[in-house]
Amino acid sequence: MSDIDNEEMQKLFLHAVAQNSTIFSTCKPILKPEYFDKSLQKVAKAIIEYYSSYGSAPKPQWLKAEVDFEVENLGEPDKGFVKAMETEIE
């Protein structure tokens, strides 16, 4: 597997998994902090740890306070989003 090269794509991915438990569950096997730019690794780690501890998506306020990451409301994700992300990091 290789890293997701585009930082904007990395942010989009983190926004999606931070607000959608289904996307997180699907992507959990490929969600590893080391796949992200240094500046986003703490965000990925915080999201993973929150899901592991509480079994749900972290509240946007928690992510902002914990790692200074503001979650943008993306609405309902496109059906091809998860598949595109899997392809991106394979």
Side-chain angles (χ1 to χ4, degrees):
M1 281 187 185
S2 65
D3 298 9
I4 303 168
D5 293 329
N6 181 319
E7 185 176 350
E8 288 304 311
M9 185 65 82
Q10 292 176 24
K11 287 180 183 177
L12 178 63
F13 183 74
L14 290 172
H15 286 290
V17 298
Q19 62 185 297
N20 188 305
S21 295
T22 302
I23 291 177
F24 177 82
S25 296
T26 303
C27 295
K28 186 177 180 183
I30 60 170
L31 182 60
K32 300 191 186 324
E34 60 267 20
Y35 292 162
F36 296 88
D37 287 349
K38 203 86 157 146
S39 63
L40 297 172
Q41 288 180 1
K42 66 180 180 177
V43 178
K45 184 177 179 184
I47 293 169
I48 293 165
E49 290 176 354
Y50 192 94
Y51 270 103
S52 294
S53 296
Y54 304 106
S56 65
K59 299 283 186 209
Q61 301 89 334
W62 182 87
L63 272 175
K64 176 68 175 158
E66 190 71 18
V67 292
D68 196 29
F69 185 73
E70 290 194 43
V71 177
E72 295 177 20
N73 185 354
L74 301 176
E76 193 62 31
D78 179 80
K79 291 180 182 182
F81 178 79
V82 173
K83 192 67 173 168
M85 292 312 303
E86 289 173 339
T87 302
E88 182 73 24
I89 63 169
E90 287 180 344

